[in-house]
Amino acid sequence: MAKRAKKQINLFYCAESEELARKVADHSDVIQLQTITWRNFDDGFPNLFINNAHDIRGQHVAFLASFSSPGVIFEQISAIFALPKLFISSFTLVLPFFPTGSFERMEEEGDVATAFTMARILSMIPKSRGGPTSIVIYDIHALQERFYFGDDVLPCFETGIPLLLQRLHELPDADNITIAFPDDGAWKRFHKLLMHFPMVVCAKVREGDKRIVRIKEGNPEGRHVVIVDDLVQSGGTLIECQKVLAAHGAGKVSAYVTHGVFPKRSWERFLHNNADHQFAYFWITDSCPLTVKAIANKAPFEVLSLAGSIATALQI
């Protein structure tokens, strides 16, 4: 069978994602960066211009988004809805971090499941000449959120775990790694991708008025234990997991999350000069560009870039 020719991709991006977009383009000679002029009117509403709009007719187009806050979503949605109507051959939205993914269920009447709201908005992206929009998302919080999207878009769920596996293989103690999950949800989400490692599963149990992290199964003694989860916010759960793993004899504790959200600079809790709970390594991807800039060159953080994975996903 003849090898399929690679698609030539015109990659647009939001301002926050420029560095990641350039890395994606560096991974492939068939990805060409295109720009949007991001301006605002005096009243604060977007005044946008898609450069080279005529030149992209009949071509494959992608947009690299970063929905880091409600304030930047509207301007990006405006561009995302405009691009497919420029007579392009196909359109792919790359949204590495689906920000409302952890708000996916109602626990009592009146709760608003904003994961569903965001999925509905994205499901309204216009079709291009080639058909429905593809939406690439990394490690969405709950896999059932696939069914929140309508039939007029094609969600493609990717994972950052291969980046972690590559990095673990490079460690001097690669043969002494144990994977820990902070709760059953993380175990369900990731354990099949990490089957060849010994595992520890933690759980939060109620003791009086407190919820305390305990080891549910597995033995961390003498091991380099790597806690794996999809995202981190304040980091409280990871810190409690580190403490209980260390108390049960773990030689070292590290952490991996695909999405380092870290609101209110909560990453500062993990810096080696601030923390009494030492993490040997804390790996994140560049799905949250503002965090990547904030933690640059600060131990124990290391960034595992999604750029190569995104370049590959754009060829699907």
Side-chain angles (χ1 to χ4, degrees), residues 95 131 176 201 204:
L95 181 62
N176 192 42
V201 181
K204 289 182 178 178

Side-chain angles (χ1 to χ4, degrees), residues 254-275:
S254 296
Y256 166 86
V257 296
T258 303
H259 310 297
V261 185
F262 289 122
K264 299 180 180 179
R265 296 175 63 89
S266 55
W267 51 266
E268 292 181 342
R269 306 174 69 182
F270 295 89
L271 296 181
H272 279 173
N273 57 350
N274 288 350

Side-chain angles (χ1 to χ4, degrees), residues 8-73:
Q8 299 284 331
I9 307 290
N10 291 272
L11 178 60
F12 292 86
Y13 52 89
C14 67
E16 283 180 19
S17 296
E18 181 174 356
E19 183 177 348
L20 178 55
R22 294 190 181 282
K23 290 180 179 179
V24 173
D26 286 343
H27 274 270
S28 175
D29 57 4
V30 296
I31 296 176
Q32 180 177 350
L33 294 183
Q34 300 286 354
T35 60
I36 295 172
T37 302
W38 303 92
R39 303 168 299 196
N40 291 305
F41 292 108
D42 290 341
D43 61 4
F45 278 87
N47 176 17
L48 311 179
F49 186 82
I50 298 171
N51 300 301
N52 300 322
H54 190 276
D55 295 339
I56 63 173
R57 288 183 175 182
Q59 299 190 39
H60 301 288
V61 172
F63 182 83
L64 178 58
S66 176
F67 290 0
S68 60
S69 71
V72 300
I73 292 177

Side-chain angles (χ1 to χ4, degrees), residues 159-176:
T159 180
I161 293 297
L163 301 175
L164 172 64
L165 292 174
Q166 180 179 345
R167 184 66 183 94
L168 294 180
H169 182 70
E170 296 168 352
L171 295 177
D173 57 352
D175 59 350
N176 192 42

Side-chain angles (χ1 to χ4, degrees), residues 251-316:
K252 289 192 290 188
V253 179
S254 296
Y256 166 86
V257 296
T258 303
H259 310 297
V261 185
F262 289 122
K264 299 180 180 179
R265 296 175 63 89
S266 55
W267 51 266
E268 292 181 342
R269 306 174 69 182
F270 295 89
L271 296 181
H272 279 173
N273 57 350
N274 288 350
D276 56 359
H277 43 270
Q278 293 284 326
F279 282 75
Y281 301 93
F282 198 128
W283 295 292
I284 65 172
T285 76
D286 43 6
S287 67
C288 299
L290 297 182
T291 297
V292 171
K293 290 181 180 178
I295 57 89
N297 302 315
K298 293 181 174 67
F301 292 103
E302 288 186 11
V303 177
L304 309 178
S305 182
L306 294 171
S309 178
I310 291 172
T312 300
L314 290 175
Q315 293 297 323
I316 296 175

